[in-house]
Amino acid sequence: LRLEPNDPSCVYWIDPGSVAKCPDEEFRKAIFRLAERAMEVTGDLAYAHAARGTLYAGHGQFGRALEDYAKSIELDPDDWVVHYWHALVQRSAGHREPYRNACSAMLTGFQESESPNQTHLVVWSCVLAPNAVDDYSSTLKLAEQAVSADPKASRQRCLGAVLFRAGRFDEAITTLGVAASGESDEGSLAYTWYFLAMAHHASGHTDKAKQFL
């Protein structure tokens, strides 16, 4: 932090969830002191708020995490990763309308993005829970753009998830099947199987759904 004061990412070099589980209370306190020091050194940098928010989120302190994420977005509204973290924590905290508002803000802010990484994360934010948006047409368009730009398994999974949330179960099963048939670019097919199970269940394929659980 002293060497690179504009890079507070050191705050979460150690996974915040792992920090929260650490039995050494002094170590946990030291990580939080580092987060506070990052705020001082960086002069209220947007990413410093995001880094501290991620630490709070890992400890289940969702209220404080959301405050930091909101401030980070206010300072840098173009950071799509922080928007995703913000939506994820709203969902984890059970805040249905704030989560929906976070999804709406992402769709509005990044609908013209030409980056498949951005559009992928925006879309994924909108499938974390049912009814995240009123109309999935914009979300579907972004998912299709991401697949066209880079048709790897995670993009196919994301498209399949949107189709499922939109109630297009047969198309979802086909697309998720493509994602499951290839090599995962994220190390696990768990999310793909999760959505396949739900899509088959929604289509009345009970036995098939159980195969993916």
Side-chain angles (χ1 to χ4, degrees), residues 49-65:
H49 282 281
R52 187 175 66 177
T54 300
L55 188 60
Y56 280 135
H59 283 71
Q61 298 182 37
F62 297 141
R64 290 185 173 183

Side-chain angles (χ1 to χ4, degrees), residues 11-54:
V11 171
Y12 57 89
W13 280 348
I14 303 174
D15 175 64
S18 298
V19 174
K21 295 175 183 177
C22 178
D24 188 339
E25 183 178 359
E26 290 305 314
F27 174 76
R28 296 197 305 272
K29 289 181 179 179
I31 293 294
F32 273 101
R33 286 197 297 271
L34 178 62
E36 296 301 330
R37 179 58 179 157
M39 300 296 296
E40 297 173 5
V41 172
T42 60
D44 210 30
L45 188 71
Y47 209 62
H49 282 281
R52 187 175 66 177
T54 300

Side-chain angles (χ1 to χ4, degrees), residues 83-136:
H83 277 276
Y84 165 68
W85 290 342
H86 181 240
L88 181 62
V89 173
Q90 293 285 19
R91 175 67 185 95
S92 299
H95 300 161
R96 184 176 182 274
E97 285 307 314
Y99 163 64
R100 282 167 49 86
N101 291 339
C103 292
S104 178
M106 293 182 75
L107 287 170
T108 300
F110 299 102
Q111 61 181 336
E112 302 299 330
S113 173
E114 296 182 357
S115 165
N117 290 330
Q118 285 186 356
T119 54
H120 170 72
L121 211 51
V122 169
V123 170
W124 187 244
S125 299
C126 296
V127 300
L128 297 174
N131 303 313
V133 296
D134 293 326
D135 181 357
Y136 282 94

Side-chain angles (χ1 to χ4, degrees), residues 127-204:
V127 300
L128 297 174
N131 303 313
V133 296
D134 293 326
D135 181 357
Y136 282 94
S137 57
S138 296
T139 314
L140 183 59
K141 180 180 178 181
L142 289 178
E144 290 171 338
Q145 289 175 354
V147 169
S148 295
D150 188 355
K152 59 186 178 182
S154 61
R155 305 289 195 257
Q156 297 282 357
R157 179 202 69 210
C158 205
L159 174 57
V162 177
L163 289 167
F164 166 73
R165 293 299 190 196
R168 296 163 61 172
F169 304 132
D170 290 343
E171 294 171 83
I173 290 170
T174 299
T175 304
L176 290 165
V178 172
S181 65
E183 182 177 350
S184 174
D185 52 287
E186 294 184 334
S188 173
L189 288 171
Y191 280 125
T192 304
W193 294 339
Y194 169 66
F195 277 101
L196 269 170
M198 292 194 295
H200 277 293
H201 178 75
S203 297

Side-chain angles (χ1 to χ4, degrees), residues 3-17:
L3 293 174
E4 297 290 343
N6 290 321
D7 181 13
S9 61
C10 59
V11 171
Y12 57 89
W13 280 348
I14 303 174
D15 175 64

